[in-house]
Amino acid sequence: MNAPVIQDANAWTEREQLEFFGSPEFAGILAEVVRPMGLADARITVAELHHRPGAGVSGVFEATNGSTTLYLGATAERLGTVPEGTVHLDSGRGSVIVWLHPADPLLPGLPLATTPTLVEEHWGGGRVIEELRTLAYRPLRRAVMLARFGDGQQLFLKVLRKDAELLHGKHLALLAAGIPVPIPAGPPIDGVLAFHRAHGVPLAEDLMHAPELPLAPQHIIGLLDALPQTLLDVPARPAWSDRLGWYGHAAQTAVPDQAGKIGELLTRLVRILETAHRGELVPSHGDFYEANIFVENGTITGLLDIDSAGPGYLVDDLACFLGHLAVLPDLDARYGRVNGYFELYATAFEAELGNRGICAKGLYARAACVVLSLVAGARDEANPDWHAVALARLVLVEQLLVRAE
């Protein structure tokens, strides 16, 4: 087909990409892309936008004419080649690649994981799928699907762009060490890993409803201490604080009217992190927070999303937990007790780290880095209050910095 051309010769910054992807201009371009597919006069809406600092902006868009609905992916990231089946939009302003979901150019396993007959064929074991639902999708990065079968059993399908075999091996190693990670339903197929559901409920659910602290701090520290030494042999991934510059840039891009304030926070954080001792290198989870911890009757029954597990630092895992905990009350009023829980966890973590020669200022500065990483995610064009959410998270960064200083 003849691809429409982006009109505008301005410099193609990531801030402009973000604005452009949410603009009526780009919606009109996508409407022309789907017109030859039988969707004349389609209405285009933004389903979600993702900004990866240093790479660019990607998004998912809904196109509908009232009777037929299609989903499109689009990215301003530079890909090595323009994959077959995509539409390449180009001009002096910049380039955008558009594809019809699920033909993500860097997730070749996505069509497999989103097609019920194929999921039944590979993981059904003779069972029929009753539901196949997308739980998460980051264009070009990963996706998570839920498959529910007629007998009530559930599988979670994780679609990866790389390292599926490595992740499968991590699960087997942690299971062998007695860590309750989800059990794989077999080796990866085309970059797709299937897992059985963990027992219990997410800690986030207990934090919302439990009348008292639902999980003792010593259970959290004990779980992290029990991670097997074999994780030290896998490639390390940077912690949130190691990517501070990236997340600061993303926050400034998403909330440009706060760029100066964010720059000031970055300067203060860097000053603390330069002198805050991290402790010794240990096996680490790498993305340790309440949504990835399952619990039952006060014990940990599941540890999810171990993609980043490898060499790391205890202080970073505990800071990740505190940072995510800090934002919960602003997400939902039912997390009203969490501010008190935060103090209980913070006090216990401070004491444990102090026994290991690690000072509290590093814990709070790294928790502030985690909250700063969540500022850009507050930008949601479908939420008229997103700017207030972003500002509230910047306030939390400031509060954690005061503790650190």
Side-chain angles (χ1 to χ4, degrees):
M1 74 184 70
N2 293 323
V5 175
I6 301 171
Q7 301 297 322
D8 198 332
N10 294 331
W12 189 238
T13 67
E14 289 172 18
R15 182 174 298 169
E16 288 173 329
Q17 292 172 19
L18 195 61
E19 296 292 343
F20 181 70
F21 271 44
S23 70
E25 179 187 358
F26 191 50
I29 290 173
L30 293 182
E32 291 303 310
V33 169
V34 299
R35 184 180 294 274
M37 302 176 188
L39 265 72
D41 302 318
R43 182 171 61 90
I44 307 294
T45 55
V46 179
E48 53 189 74
L49 294 179
H50 299 280
H51 173 209
R52 185 168 179 263
V57 175
S58 300
V60 181
F61 301 83
E62 180 183 272
T64 182
N65 61 5
S67 59
T68 302
T69 299
L70 298 175
Y71 289 91
L72 300 171
T75 186
E77 291 192 28
R78 292 186 177 182
L79 305 184
T81 59
V82 180
E84 184 178 353
T86 61
V87 175
H88 185 205
L89 314 177
D90 202 3
S91 79
R93 181 177 183 179
S95 297
V96 176
I97 291 176
V98 180
W99 62 91
L100 182 63
H101 184 74
D104 187 301
L106 296 187
L107 294 177
L110 192 57
L112 164 61
T114 55
T115 304
T117 55
L118 294 178
V119 173
E120 288 178 358
E121 177 185 339
H122 288 92
W123 295 286
R127 299 171 298 179
V128 176
I129 280 188
E130 289 195 347
E131 180 185 21
L132 184 60
R133 176 162 50 97
T134 300
L135 299 180
Y137 173 46
R138 288 187 65 92
L140 310 179
R141 294 290 173 269
R142 68 182 183 92
V144 180
M145 308 294 299
L146 169 64
R148 184 170 58 83
F149 296 91
D151 62 356
Q153 294 297 308
Q154 297 180 351
L155 286 180
F156 294 86
L157 309 176
K158 180 170 284 190
V159 186
L160 304 167
R161 62 183 291 184
K162 61 180 182 177
D163 296 335
E165 292 285 355
L166 176 63
L167 181 58
H168 182 244
K170 287 182 187 180
H171 275 263
L172 297 183
L174 267 65
L175 285 168
I179 305 296
V181 295
I183 299 172
I189 301 173
D190 293 337
V192 181
L193 265 173
F195 300 100
H196 296 282
R197 191 185 190 281
H199 294 292
V201 299
L203 177 58
E205 187 173 321
D206 264 9
L207 288 168
M208 179 181 285
H209 300 295
E212 56 187 24
L213 193 70
L215 182 66
Q218 60 263 32
H219 290 326
I220 290 174
I221 295 167
L223 174 70
L224 294 172
D225 281 342
L227 293 174
Q229 294 295 306
T230 53
L231 286 178
L232 295 177
D233 299 326
V234 306
R237 296 195 183 184
W240 310 105
S241 54
D242 297 321
R243 294 174 285 184
L244 177 59
W246 280 35
Y247 292 123
H249 170 57
Q252 290 173 321
T253 300
V255 198
D257 62 301
Q258 297 298 309
K261 176 65 175 179
I262 293 167
E264 175 194 335
L265 295 173
L266 289 172
T267 299
R268 292 166 63 188
L269 281 169
V270 168
R271 187 180 302 125
I272 296 171
L273 294 174
E274 284 176 342
T275 59
H277 177 55
R278 258 174 144 165
E280 64 178 292
L281 193 70
V282 295
S284 167
H285 181 274
D287 195 17
F288 190 75
Y289 68 104
E290 74 288 335
N292 288 336
I293 304 166
F294 272 48
V295 294
E296 192 171 57
N297 299 323
T299 62
I300 297 173
T301 56
L303 182 62
L304 279 59
D305 283 350
I306 62 169
D307 306 51
S308 298
Y313 300 90
L314 176 63
V315 66
D316 283 308
D317 274 340
L318 297 181
C320 184
F321 184 89
L322 288 181
H324 281 272
L325 203 64
V327 305
L328 289 180
D330 284 333
L331 294 179
D332 193 309
R334 290 175 294 176
Y335 284 118
R337 299 186 186 91
V338 166
N339 286 326
Y341 295 162
F342 178 96
E343 297 300 331
L344 293 173
Y345 283 121
T347 299
F349 293 167
E350 272 193 50
E352 182 63 32
L353 291 172
N355 292 336
R356 304 186 190 202
I358 304 167
C359 65
K361 69 177 184 179
L363 172 67
Y364 293 119
R366 295 176 194 285
C369 293
V370 173
V371 177
L372 184 62
S373 77
L374 301 174
V375 170
R379 179 163 185 150
D380 179 359
E381 308 302 335
N383 178 10
D385 298 324
W386 73 261
H387 191 266
V389 174
L391 293 182
R393 291 180 183 178
L394 287 175
V395 170
L396 287 174
V397 174
E398 175 80 33
Q399 291 172 347
L400 289 165
L401 255 173
V402 170
R403 284 182 180 244
E405 292 170 338

